Amino acid sequence: MKIPLVDLKSQYLSIKKEIDEAIQKVLNQTAFIKGDFVEDFEQKYCQKYGVRHCIGVGNGTDALYISLKILGIKPGDEVITVANSWISSSETIIQAGATPVFVDIEPDYFTINPEEIKKRITSNTKVIMPVHLYGQSANMVKLKEICDRHNLFLIEDCAQAHFAEFKKQKVGTFGDLGTFSFFPGKNLGAYGDAGAIITNNDDLAEKVRMFANHGSLKKNEHRTEGVNSRLDGIQAAILKLKLKYIDSWTEERINNSKIYNDFLENIKEIELPKVRPNTKHVFHLYVIRAKNRDNLKNFLEDKGISTAIHYPCILPLLQIYQDLGYSKEEFLVSHKYQKEILSLPMYPELTKNQIKYIAEQIREFYCHFNKK
Ligand SMILES: *Cc1c(COP(=O)(O)O)cnc(C)c1O
């Protein structure tokens, strides 16, 4: 059996006719950049999130960068983010001219640890930028509390957490701005690069729209400089169509996580992912912690099962951030976990039989491993 980490093909084939028609419609109208298809998607996304504004942008990294820029983040400012994340978390802070301040994760949920944030706040702190990692909400009550008390902005990175919830409220609607990636492999994926920002703040929404389009709301009127980061018509049409299915795809991911939990029960060498109480974890990734992780990964690869590591090196310990002077002792949890975490195949179309096979191979590996 061959099982990929994500299977974009089977999802495309399941809605091929509709997708092909949607793309053809954009071609017929040559509405390639912005235009009706983009507005249509933005409106639908607003509705589904119950927010006032959604602005399509080029990708999820741009969504973070644009958010920082329109909040006025500048050199000398500090932005607090999480140690275990994709590089977008730190590179956008640095590109905005500010300094990233990394914080360790909570041991149970892989998300930013609010207690650790408190120790890192200074008079220069301007923003907290948590990541709802793997599809799991960060602790939004505590993060809101900290932001309110210290008068900080909150930017939620929802790139891995479309329609995840914390106490029945969707993530991305707690902060000043919520950012999304629609990279093809994300829970809601385009067929190329795409992203969006949501907000209930009219003033911030206008600034985002302007900054993402060369500082312009009207052709040839530039109130500031900005960037060129726009959602295109083909991606918008695909995303709007996929919104019809996202709820059932999310349910299938959650269901697959439960099937994994059942089949992987009582293997003492692995730790299964925990779901924070009163939240909806949307399982962008199903991440276990495993003894002898690298050998397990190779063993599974030999059995046709693709896995990945999100992420092999925490951000503060990357070579490129050496000059920031962080040490591993400051990140006891995330540093320990980087050698243990393993992302197993996860997508809506994954079958019970495939999960059973994956679980059997993991059991088989530890049987051998224990005899040696
Ligand atoms: C994917 C991802 C991004 C970046 O999104 P792109 O669309 O690839 O630019 C940012 N943050 C996190 C946590 C991600 O997983």
Side-chain angles (χ1 to χ4, degrees), residues 59-61 64 85-86 88 131 157 159-160 181 183 186 194 311:
N59 56 68
T61 308
L64 291 170
S85 181
W86 177 236
S88 304
V131 180
D157 184 343
Q160 303 189 0
S181 166
F183 179 82
K186 299 287 160 81
Y311 297 90

Side-chain angles (χ1 to χ4, degrees), residues 8 11-12 15 19 184 186-191 236-247 249:
L8 300 180
Q11 186 176 86
Y12 168 56
I15 51 171
I19 289 277
K186 299 287 160 81
N187 285 24
L188 180 62
Y191 290 173
I238 291 166
L239 290 167
K240 190 195 134 194
L241 172 64
K242 282 191 165 195
L243 272 183
K244 281 205 302 197
Y245 300 98
I246 188 66
D247 291 338
W249 287 335

